[in-house]
Amino acid sequence: MTTTLRAVDVIARKRDGGEVPTADLRAFVIAYAAGELPDYQMAAFLMAGYLRGFTRREAETLTEAMVASGDRLDLGRLRGPTVDKHSTGGVADGTTLVVGPLSAALGLQMVKLSGRGLGHTGGTLDKLEAIPGFRVALGAEELLDQVERIGLAVAAQTADLVPADKAIYALRDVTATVGNVALIASSVMSKKLAGGAGCILLDVKAGSGAFMRETAAAVELARLCVDLGRAGGRRTAALVTDMDQPLGELVGNAVEVREAVEVLRGERRGRFLDLCLTLTGHLAALAGVAADPGQGRRDAARALDAGEGLERFRDFVAAQGGDPRVADDPSLLPQAPVALEVRAPAGGWLQAVDTEAVGQVAAALGAGRQRKDDEIDPAVAVELDAKLGDRVDAGQPVGRILARDEHAARTAASGLLAALRWSDRPSQAPPLVHEVVGA
């Protein structure tokens, strides 16, 4: 885009509710990524689109243009099938640490470029870096060599991959234009398409700890993401899953690695394991190594029981410089010096959890960051053992706080209890999977 007039025309067309022609919209995005368009014009366009909406064709163009703005990962040398998984973010959601090794055990090749946590949601890279020595900065050749060898690599996204998305997201964050389905979907899918995998599975969260609080909105986002993936030539599916309570019982960084190890060792059951098996089953079906998601889940369960997932996890950690002994001795992970038990103030049924608040309690301890340059404390954590629908007695332990000092632990315990709502009547937990899209 070479003239201010053309940029103004694009903004005006969207302001008036019109559909921006494909070539103009693509040029607009590419120009912004190249620094040829000022922030104020992109901000005006984003607000116009936020208020007026985008058509599916515009969403496809936004996605394609963001992919075209930078490098793409070429997985052509991998024998495949290549797969990728993405979660829209939640609390105690460390599924990559289990799904990746199980997928590799089934013969899939997972190439995952992940991010860091911000606000109440955890980041996969932060969790992995809780493992002593673990490296997330991998060059393209090193990443591909590792995937060829063990079937799994998780690395940080490079600055050259989808730079338009990075620039536009930063602007959305400060202009109150984050919550638009087309903008969210194009941001997610541009990174997945640039990552090169032939099969993409999305885990779209809905509930009190999710960006999309309402299930209907999460389903809308899932459907658009699947459409964008398929338009980009990839086998794509999505699950809309529950985040009305933390997925696992442990909220932090080192503790979520510990929980994943315990799952892979066959020592921990529950919702977290259930979703990991379901996601692996869907990946196997997408990639054609299982007849359907049910068969894929059964295959994943067999790999888990045989210890194959744990062995792949051990290989994965060692390949990226981490201490593989954590697979056998999780006590090698960082541990906070103070542990405080949290007890139920009264008897009753756990009726509701403000999951975002639970994540914020963990973040305030140091497990998360409010700004992107904040330091993470890998050892601190929140444990919440009680699940929606559980009956507890007054004084019964419902969780623990792992902190650096007593004051921080007591403050966090109060915050955790404030996030829980109790009832004198039984209540039913929501389903783990609300809807499956594209499978």
Side-chain angles (χ1 to χ4, degrees):
M1 184 154 298
T2 58
T3 68
T4 303
L5 177 62
R6 287 186 60 199
V8 169
D9 288 344
V10 169
I11 296 166
R13 191 178 187 97
K14 182 47 58 184
R15 177 201 64 196
D16 296 338
E19 184 177 60
V20 179
T22 296
D24 291 349
L25 181 53
R26 189 181 192 280
F28 189 84
V29 172
I30 296 294
Y32 182 65
E36 298 169 3
L37 198 72
D39 282 350
Y40 60 80
Q41 286 189 310
M42 178 56 79
F45 171 78
L46 292 171
M47 184 58 75
Y50 184 90
L51 296 174
R52 289 293 196 171
F54 294 97
T55 65
R56 174 178 161 172
R57 188 189 59 77
E58 286 176 319
E60 289 180 6
T61 303
L62 284 169
T63 305
E64 188 276 327
M66 287 194 284
V67 172
S69 71
D71 294 343
R72 308 180 198 206
L73 197 57
D74 183 359
L75 306 186
R77 62 180 263 200
L78 298 178
R79 66 187 183 277
T82 55
V83 299
D84 195 359
K85 178 197 76 71
H86 175 77
S87 167
T88 57
V91 177
D93 180 14
T95 53
T96 294
L97 280 64
V98 174
V99 174
L102 287 178
S103 296
L106 297 184
L108 307 180
Q109 294 184 310
M110 179 176 283
V111 184
K112 182 158 174 51
L113 301 177
S114 291
R116 301 191 179 277
L118 189 63
H120 74 282
T121 62
T124 300
L125 299 184
D126 298 317
K127 297 167 191 177
L128 288 170
E129 285 183 333
I131 300 171
F134 197 98
R135 293 185 306 114
V136 299
L138 302 180
E141 289 305 308
E142 184 180 11
L143 185 148
L144 294 175
D145 286 345
Q146 179 176 318
V147 174
E148 279 187 328
R149 197 168 66 253
I150 65 171
L152 170 64
V154 180
Q157 178 182 324
T158 68
D160 296 329
L161 204 74
V162 202
D165 172 64
K166 183 177 181 180
I168 290 171
Y169 189 89
L171 201 57
R172 287 166 56 205
D173 195 40
V174 296
T175 57
T177 54
V178 171
N180 174 276
V181 170
L183 293 176
I184 297 169
S186 60
S187 175
V188 168
M189 295 310 297
S190 63
K191 292 190 283 286
K192 295 294 103 180
L193 292 172
C199 304
I200 301 169
L201 181 65
L202 303 156
D203 180 5
V204 180
K205 302 297 185 183
S208 64
F211 185 76
M212 293 294 189
R213 298 298 182 98
E214 300 300 322
T215 302
V219 170
E220 181 186 4
L221 174 59
R223 287 174 176 163
L224 182 54
C225 285
V226 169
D227 287 347
L228 294 176
R230 290 177 172 177
R234 314 299 170 83
R235 295 182 182 177
T236 311
L239 276 66
V240 177
T241 66
D242 176 62
M243 192 44 71
D244 261 331
Q245 60 183 322
L247 177 60
E249 295 181 359
L250 308 179
V251 186
N253 293 288
V255 294
E256 292 192 41
V257 176
R258 173 164 65 86
E259 186 166 30
V261 167
E262 290 171 354
V263 164
L264 290 168
R265 289 167 62 89
E267 299 169 352
R268 185 182 286 266
R269 318 302 280 184
R271 296 171 76 251
F272 177 63
L273 169 60
D274 189 7
L275 185 57
C276 288
L277 292 175
T278 297
L279 291 171
T280 307
H282 276 270
L283 276 173
L286 264 183
V289 302
D292 53 56
Q295 181 61 56
R297 182 188 167 104
R298 291 189 291 274
D299 292 344
R302 280 194 289 272
L304 179 76
D305 293 341
E308 296 169 7
L310 182 66
E311 188 60 35
R312 291 302 177 113
F313 177 83
R314 189 182 288 111
D315 293 342
F316 159 60
V317 171
Q320 294 192 216
D323 187 345
R325 295 178 300 165
V326 299
D328 305 297
D329 184 6
S331 70
L332 294 170
L333 294 163
Q335 299 185 61
V338 175
L340 177 64
E341 206 163 49
V342 180
R343 298 178 179 273
W349 283 267
L350 183 57
Q351 185 180 54
V353 178
D354 184 340
T355 310
E356 180 178 350
V358 174
Q360 293 290 5
V361 169
L365 282 168
R369 53 175 67 83
Q370 300 304 315
R371 296 175 299 275
K372 65 181 180 180
D373 56 351
D374 287 348
E375 289 293 323
I376 289 286
D377 185 340
V380 298
V382 172
E383 297 187 16
L384 179 59
D385 302 328
K387 297 296 182 185
L388 290 176
D390 284 358
R391 172 73 170 85
V392 302
D393 297 322
Q396 179 179 332
V398 295
R400 283 199 313 160
I401 303 297
L402 306 178
R404 287 293 170 186
D405 57 64
E406 293 284 351
H407 174 72
R410 287 193 296 272
T411 300
S414 297
L416 177 60
L417 287 174
L420 310 180
R421 190 166 77 241
W422 305 90
S423 173
D424 58 1
R425 297 182 179 182
S427 57
Q428 191 169 359
L432 182 56
V433 177
H434 293 291
E435 189 159 336
V436 176
V437 178

